[in-house]
Amino acid sequence: MDQGLMDQGQGGRGQMARGLAEAAFALAFPGMTVDEVLALREGPDWRHFPAAEPSRFDHLVSVAAIDAHLRTDGARSPRISMADESRSGSAGVPEHEYALPDGRVDLPALLARFDAGASLVVSQFHETHPPLADFCRGLERLFLHGVQANIYLTPPAAQGFRTHYDTHDVFVLQVEGRKRWRVWDGEPLPRPTRRTPWPGNMQPAGEPHELTMSPGDLLYIPRGVMHDAATLPGERSLHITLGLLEASWAQAIRSLVDELELSDPVLRESVPTWRIGEADLFAALAARLNGMARPEHAGRLTNLLLEQLARDRQPLPARGLFAPMPEGPLRLAEGMHTHLVLADDGAATLFWTGGTLDLSAAQTETLTALSEGAAPEDRDFAHKLWRMGLLEAV
């Protein structure tokens, strides 16, 4: 059966979804269009955006918020880690120097290592810090892939990590203090992913571009681009690194093959290893790859990628423990990743973090109206969606 896919809350790629996405986009990319940002993501070049407003990232995170987090039971390794470029061997500080055997932060020991010049890293802080959660969720609704927020707090005249590249694109948001960055052009190892082995002692080619990140500045560094950063004497630095967790084609194709294996007997046939040297394995491989290249499989791949986004990200329902459903217009909650797969007969399946929900043609029409904001005619159906956390007041 042919299926169409409609992602709730997303307009065309040149348009902007409401609410969280609009706020995140305006904060990160003032003066830019959506098409310009998407073109940046699709190109190979890094770019520095000087501050439009020095205090624009202040509400996302602060040293005070990090201090408070370190005093909770949620502050544990590996989410809390430390790095010091001056160490011999790995720049990563061993866990026993700042954490207890059960993973909880040993705060006196951590403070001593920080005072001695080690940088503090708080990974995936968007999962416990609401301002970052909303910001990342807004960008996820634009890019349709996961976005994570790691926090780096570096004492004066220090450097955490040595020259390296990341295996995903990043946006660096300078919050407090200044930090000197060096960025090299090109990718010495094209398009690396987490599965790409680090070659060891890789040196960047050519001369670096040197720049100083000040509060409110943003820096975009595509994966594979070599860089390093250090604080200035007498000046600490707090910055957010947004990790852009898009799938590679290899990852996407692996997911599709795993899905198609369930229904395609051709992919379940045995590889005749006992005929190696006799059989034409190239022809057999080409036939199977060509068989995958069909329009309906592209639709299935789209669905798989959006399902993965919903499964991987923490759900942020609009309702609270005791909140009654509002009487006025409602819309799909922006904190919940959802998408709708349409069938030929007008029915549909709604995919969300909690699983799937089969909808009749009438319910599909109601849900489509709610995606733009409306007073629901079917209050019972709307109440069901509200209990699931999928609706919010307009």
Side-chain angles (χ1 to χ4, degrees):
M1 174 167 47
D2 291 333
Q3 293 179 320
L5 183 144
M6 178 179 68
D7 177 60
Q8 300 302 318
Q10 298 293 333
R13 290 292 78 196
Q15 300 175 5
M16 173 57 56
R18 63 184 184 272
L20 291 180
E22 288 177 338
F25 187 88
L27 180 63
F29 312 113
M32 297 184 70
T33 67
V34 173
D35 286 339
E36 288 172 338
V37 173
L38 298 184
L40 181 70
R41 293 290 316 278
E42 292 161 1
D45 299 325
W46 65 275
R47 187 170 170 186
H48 174 220
F49 297 87
E53 170 55 51
S55 61
R56 64 174 169 153
F57 302 135
D58 286 359
H59 68 286
L60 293 178
V61 71
S62 65
V63 174
I66 297 171
D67 266 329
H69 178 67
L70 292 175
R71 286 162 169 75
T72 70
D73 193 65
R76 292 173 174 262
S77 64
R79 291 290 180 91
I80 300 294
S81 61
M82 304 193 82
D84 188 348
E85 182 272 342
S86 66
R87 289 176 49 83
S88 60
S90 171
V93 177
E95 287 186 7
H96 71 266
E97 294 189 21
Y98 60 86
L100 300 171
D102 64 1
R104 288 179 299 150
V105 161
D106 181 347
L107 194 50
L110 182 148
L111 294 173
R113 288 298 288 113
F114 185 80
D115 290 343
S119 292
L120 173 66
V121 184
V122 185
S123 298
Q124 286 89 53
F125 200 37
H126 64 284
E127 294 189 355
T128 55
H129 193 57
L132 286 172
D134 287 346
F135 182 52
C136 289
R137 186 55 43 93
L139 293 179
E140 287 172 354
R141 294 183 69 81
L142 168 66
F143 295 127
L144 299 184
H145 63 62
V147 177
Q148 70 179 21
N150 293 346
I151 310 301
Y152 295 83
L153 180 61
T154 305
Q159 179 174 332
F161 294 102
R162 301 185 180 97
T163 306
H164 66 285
Y165 60 74
D166 292 309
T167 56
H168 52 258
D169 300 347
V170 300
F171 286 115
V172 178
L173 286 60
Q174 190 69 23
V175 181
E176 295 184 23
R178 295 185 301 158
K179 202 166 195 179
R180 177 194 57 80
W181 285 73
R182 297 190 301 171
V183 186
W184 283 261
D185 291 326
E187 300 175 18
L189 187 65
R191 305 283 81 191
T193 69
R194 282 188 172 187
R195 293 165 59 91
T196 310
W198 171 257
N201 298 321
M202 176 177 286
Q203 298 299 315
E207 294 299 316
H209 301 268
E210 296 192 11
L211 59 104
T212 298
M213 290 281 285
S214 298
D217 282 8
L218 183 143
L219 177 63
Y220 172 63
I221 304 179
R223 61 187 167 119
V225 171
M226 301 286 280
H227 60 276
D228 60 33
T231 49
L232 305 173
E235 213 168 327
R236 72 187 186 191
S237 168
L238 173 64
H239 79 255
I240 304 164
T241 294
L242 297 177
L244 308 174
L245 309 178
E246 73 277 11
S248 67
W249 271 109
Q251 181 181 349
I253 291 171
R254 281 194 298 271
S255 297
L256 180 60
V257 170
D258 286 343
E259 171 81 4
L260 295 180
E261 182 187 3
L262 302 177
S263 58
D264 189 346
V266 174
L267 291 177
R268 299 198 299 267
E269 290 179 356
S270 301
V271 176
T273 53
W274 53 90
R275 294 289 187 184
I276 286 178
E278 302 175 24
D280 188 349
L281 290 183
F282 174 77
L285 173 63
R288 283 153 181 82
L289 293 178
N290 289 334
M292 289 174 55
R294 303 209 300 258
E296 62 268 27
H297 291 169
R300 295 177 80 171
L301 177 58
T302 301
N303 194 41
L304 285 171
L305 292 172
L306 293 177
E307 280 187 67
Q308 191 68 44
L309 172 64
R311 284 197 303 268
D312 286 350
R313 314 322 290 168
Q314 182 176 351
L316 302 174
R319 57 155 289 186
L321 292 172
F322 295 108
M325 188 175 79
E327 292 296 328
L330 301 171
R331 67 183 180 190
L332 288 176
E334 287 200 290
M336 303 288 281
H337 285 307
T338 62
H339 65 279
L340 193 67
V341 177
L342 305 173
D344 291 337
D345 60 1
T349 301
L350 177 68
F351 289 80
W352 65 297
T353 310
T356 61
L357 182 66
D358 292 328
L359 307 178
S360 66
Q363 290 172 333
T364 301
E365 288 186 12
T366 298
L367 192 71
T368 302
L370 289 171
S371 69
E372 299 299 327
E377 296 183 7
D378 186 343
R379 296 286 297 181
D380 290 339
F381 175 56
H383 196 261
K384 180 178 181 177
L385 297 177
W386 172 263
R387 291 197 305 271
M388 295 162 63
L390 295 176
L391 295 181
E392 64 187 7
V394 174

